[in-house]
Amino acid sequence: MAFPFLQVGMAVLGGMGKASAAKYEANVKAWESKMEATQSEIDRTIGKAQAAQIMRDRTAQFNQESEANELLFGSFSGESMSQKAYQEAQKDIVGEDLRRLGTQAGLEASARTIQSAMATQRGASAIRAGKYKAMSAIISTGYDVARIAGA
């Protein structure tokens, strides 16, 4: 008589262990996904800061080159139409560089935001899957107990 009770007890303990393991695994996956999402947000912030620095550096480079060109052109003969045209063309080039850098930074930031959202969703999905695995383990345990009790 004690043997079926032992079998039932072992089945129940095994089922509880499976359910607990499924829940733990889901929580670990959710935590990992949260860390990945946080890292993506950090990378996005760093990327924005780096892009801003590159844009500042490009503007500073333009200003330095403009000053050097003014000194060079000025030493030859006052300001001419070709000098003005050259400076305007350089401003246009720098403006286009800055727009391109801004666009690239925006695209990269958007990509990081999407990566973060995907990681967050993976974590939520892992929690749901863990709950289903735990429920399945409990149901399976109930079936095993009923089978043992009916034997």
Side-chain angles (χ1 to χ4, degrees):
M1 253 339 194
F3 187 65
F5 287 119
L6 181 61
Q7 287 179 317
V8 168
M10 301 264 305
V12 169
L13 286 176
M16 289 173 56
K18 284 181 187 178
S20 179
K23 185 177 177 183
Y24 178 78
E25 180 184 358
N27 287 334
V28 167
K29 286 182 181 179
W31 180 83
E32 288 171 348
S33 294
K34 183 178 180 179
M35 292 301 103
E36 184 181 339
T38 300
Q39 186 61 50
S40 291
E41 289 299 318
I42 290 168
D43 291 346
R44 183 175 68 87
T45 302
I46 289 171
K48 283 177 145 181
Q50 287 173 336
Q53 184 60 48
I54 290 169
M55 292 169 78
R56 282 191 297 273
D57 291 347
R58 180 64 179 107
T59 302
Q61 177 188 8
F62 169 74
N63 290 336
Q64 288 174 349
E65 289 172 355
S66 291
E67 289 172 11
N69 287 333
E70 285 178 24
L71 289 173
L72 179 64
F73 283 128
S75 66
F76 289 123
S77 65
E79 195 168 303
S80 68
M81 293 296 275
S82 62
Q83 179 185 1
K84 285 182 182 182
Y86 175 77
Q87 288 175 338
E88 287 302 316
Q90 291 303 307
K91 284 181 186 177
D92 290 344
I93 290 170
V94 169
E96 184 59 34
D97 286 351
L98 294 176
R99 280 189 291 281
R100 190 172 35 252
L101 287 168
T103 300
Q104 183 66 29
L107 291 172
E108 289 176 8
S110 294
R112 297 283 192 218
T113 299
I114 290 168
Q115 284 177 333
S116 175
M118 288 172 57
T120 300
Q121 185 57 46
R122 273 195 305 276
S125 295
I127 291 290
R128 279 194 298 280
K131 287 179 182 177
Y132 290 131
K133 282 182 181 179
M135 292 288 272
S136 175
I138 291 169
I139 291 169
S140 178
T141 299
Y143 173 76
D144 290 343
V145 167
R147 188 173 45 83
I148 292 168

